[in-house]
Amino acid sequence: MAGDEAPGLMEEVLRRENLVAAHARVLANGGAPGVDGRTVQELLPYGREHWARIREERRGDRYVPQPVRRVEIPKPVGQGTRGLGIPPVLDRVIQQAVLQVLQPRRDPQFSPESFGFRPGRRAQGAVLRARAHVAAGYRWVVDLDLEKVFDRVNHDVLMARVARRGKDRRVLRLIRRYLQAGVLAGGLVAPRQEGTPQGGSLSPLLSNLLLDDLDRELTRRGHRFVRYADDCNIYVRSKAAGERVMASLERFLWTRLRLRINRAKSAVARPWARKFLGYRVTVDRHPKLKVAPQAVHRLKGKLRALLRQGRGRNLARTVQDLGPVLRGWVAYVRLVEGKASFEALDAWVRRKLRAILWRQWKRPRTRLRELRRRGLDASRAAASAYNGRGPWWNAGASHMNAAVPTRVLRAMGLVSLLTEPRRLACSS
């Protein structure tokens, strides 16, 4: 039972093996320093010198976390910024140690329809579950986007959910202190009255503890749904049913959890008109999975940043830099059925690389020489080198395709999205 675990919970957190594992995870994750300026590499010598005092402060319920350092990071493809709270590395280790104790106890109690921030439960499993609901005839979706869950969560509401399944008051007070630690921004420390900053190890688990109430309510009502973090889709048979569900959940979320629905990003719609975790389903009776256009747009944004860096260096180096991004993306969208989107993206990447070469050659005289060196006859090379058109047009023209064929780019190590192995994901 949950109550039986309570008396030794802090001791479990402070157990040497648990702390060593937490330190190893923080070290592997890296990351920027917090307000104290200490790096992850500097933590071990500091910990050896001060650990006895720190341990007793935590065991004696006297430890007060330092403020988090707030930084703004750009959202994908120019959609504004997102605030991250970076705790000092020592607090990151302790948060990780708490997570390693709480996660195995709490995770088995969560809904099987919850996939985000849970061990062994990937986004692809959520996508497959969503497709199964559509295939079963639930061809309307209530697409819920919760408004700034991390920033707006009420501390009292959240702590009531944390305390529901664990009674060690020292651990509860430590978590609340992490929630209430100030935020350093612009040289000033401001108190935090609500929210759990994105960037802390505990925040994902705390959000699942909070939203477990939503999962249980949806299960109690008999709805078919999938939730990944704060992205929740409920599948129904009609638009009218979807609108009733949307209205009732808006009331439930505010009265029970003090959360609001982002109306601008939420909708009752056909599933094939919405995206879910980078995928979309087709309108077919047995729906297929396609790449959402937004996911393609986001990938191109990442690639453009790398391609801009390549204008003044060897093309093979740029090709190598693209490799991890392309492999990671195709591994994520490995459930996609069909090859049209992969063919189009492959062609776009090749054209971008040829445009880099055209820019690097700069002068018509240099372009003439390079085209001749790559096998074009004199008249064709001259007409192409002096055509006066821009890099993008020339990169898509036949002379650059002939001068820099696909096999040359492949020899440099260019990854093909079309031929990169794609494995079927399991349903978990």
Side-chain angles (χ1 to χ4, degrees):
M1 298 294 292
D4 296 336
E5 69 182 352
L9 205 57
M10 181 60 84
E11 283 67 28
E12 184 77 10
V13 169
L14 296 175
R15 190 167 53 89
R16 183 180 185 279
E17 293 79 4
N18 187 51
L19 289 167
V20 169
H23 175 263
R25 174 60 64 88
V26 170
L27 191 62
N29 290 342
V35 294
D36 59 1
R38 190 171 294 115
T39 66
V40 291
Q41 292 77 18
E42 295 169 337
L43 178 60
L44 190 58
Y46 176 85
R48 285 172 176 162
E49 182 178 353
H50 299 280
W51 180 246
R53 172 183 58 80
I54 296 167
R55 182 185 178 93
E56 288 310 309
E57 285 180 354
R58 280 176 168 80
R59 180 176 284 149
D61 200 20
R62 300 187 306 275
Y63 183 79
V64 178
Q66 291 183 280
V68 300
R69 182 169 65 87
R70 184 175 178 86
V71 297
E72 298 291 332
I73 62 170
K75 289 184 178 180
V77 199
Q79 298 176 1
T81 61
R82 174 185 293 112
L84 284 185
I86 303 177
V89 288
L90 180 59
D91 286 332
R92 297 213 292 267
V93 170
I94 300 302
Q95 284 196 40
Q96 180 66 33
V98 173
L99 176 68
Q100 290 168 182
V101 170
L102 292 184
Q103 183 99 49
R105 290 165 164 81
R106 305 296 180 258
D107 193 80
Q109 301 164 352
F110 291 149
S111 167
E113 309 305 319
S114 165
F115 287 83
F117 306 131
R118 297 184 61 190
R121 297 181 66 79
R122 300 178 180 89
Q124 290 85 355
V127 170
L128 289 173
R129 191 71 59 89
R131 182 179 65 174
H133 293 324
V134 178
Y138 294 81
R139 294 169 73 82
W140 286 88
V141 63
V142 182
D143 186 354
L144 285 184
D145 185 279
L146 302 181
E147 191 174 79
K148 298 184 177 180
V149 171
F150 285 97
D151 293 336
R152 300 281 174 80
V153 60
N154 181 283
H155 289 171
D156 291 334
V157 172
L158 174 57
M159 289 307 303
R161 272 71 189 167
V162 178
R164 186 185 291 165
R165 299 180 185 135
K167 304 298 182 183
D168 190 321
R169 296 185 182 279
R170 294 171 299 171
V171 173
L172 295 178
R173 279 193 289 268
L174 179 60
I175 293 174
R176 184 178 278 275
R177 286 169 184 165
Y178 278 124
L179 291 174
Q180 295 178 336
V183 179
L184 178 66
L188 299 174
V189 176
R192 188 168 62 234
Q193 305 298 331
E194 61 179 7
T196 170
Q198 296 185 58
S201 301
L202 272 173
S203 293
L205 175 61
L206 295 178
S207 71
N208 272 334
L209 283 168
L210 181 71
L211 294 175
D212 188 51
D213 272 26
L214 173 61
D215 299 340
R216 290 173 180 271
E217 178 65 14
L218 292 171
T219 301
R220 185 188 68 79
R221 298 184 186 185
H223 288 309
R224 293 188 176 226
F225 72 97
V226 183
R227 183 176 65 79
Y228 190 93
D230 57 355
D231 195 350
C232 184
N233 280 5
I234 304 102
Y235 295 87
V236 295
R237 291 189 182 274
S238 70
K239 183 177 183 180
E243 289 172 344
R244 288 194 299 269
V245 169
M246 176 75 83
S248 64
L249 287 180
E250 191 165 26
R251 291 192 298 270
F252 170 84
L253 286 164
W254 177 248
T255 57
R256 184 73 68 86
L257 301 178
R258 288 293 182 265
L259 295 176
R260 295 190 184 277
I261 292 174
N262 186 331
R263 277 289 186 170
K265 295 183 179 180
S266 302
V268 177
R270 294 293 196 178
W272 45 88
R274 307 291 291 180
K275 67 177 179 66
F276 184 53
L277 302 177
Y279 288 82
R280 64 178 181 88
V281 296
T282 64
V283 70
D284 306 278
R285 184 174 179 182
H286 300 288
K288 295 180 174 62
L289 292 172
K290 301 294 184 183
V291 181
Q294 297 91 331
V296 174
H297 187 56
R298 188 173 301 169
L299 172 66
K300 286 184 174 181
K302 291 180 180 179
L303 295 176
R304 282 190 182 96
L306 294 173
L307 291 163
R308 279 194 294 270
Q309 296 171 11
R311 293 180 183 177
R313 62 183 180 182
N314 184 275
L315 191 68
R317 170 72 183 277
T318 300
V319 168
Q320 295 300 317
D321 288 347
L322 297 178
V325 176
L326 293 171
R327 289 191 185 92
W329 191 81
V330 77
Y332 180 79
V333 298
R334 61 183 179 267
L335 299 179
V336 166
E337 299 161 275
K339 60 183 183 179
S341 57
F342 295 100
E343 288 176 334
L345 277 167
D346 272 350
W348 181 85
V349 170
R350 292 194 299 267
R351 188 169 178 178
K352 280 287 188 181
L353 292 170
R354 292 178 181 123
I356 287 175
L357 276 181
W358 192 261
R359 283 190 176 91
Q360 288 179 347
W361 294 343
K362 292 183 180 179
R363 300 173 183 275
R365 190 186 329 166
T366 306
R367 291 166 180 166
L368 173 61
R369 184 184 70 239
E370 293 295 334
L371 292 173
R372 288 295 312 276
R373 189 167 69 85
R374 285 167 168 77
L376 271 68
D377 62 63
S379 61
R380 186 182 181 190
S384 301
Y386 288 90
N387 64 35
R389 293 182 179 268
W392 183 246
W393 186 92
N394 278 282
S398 61
H399 56 268
M400 280 300 285
N401 280 267
V404 191
T406 300
R407 68 175 182 275
V408 170
L409 298 174
R410 293 277 184 269
M412 293 180 185
L414 180 63
V415 172
S416 169
L417 299 173
L418 191 61
T419 60
E420 185 73 9
R422 286 183 278 152
R423 302 178 302 278
L424 287 178
C426 63
S427 58
S428 63

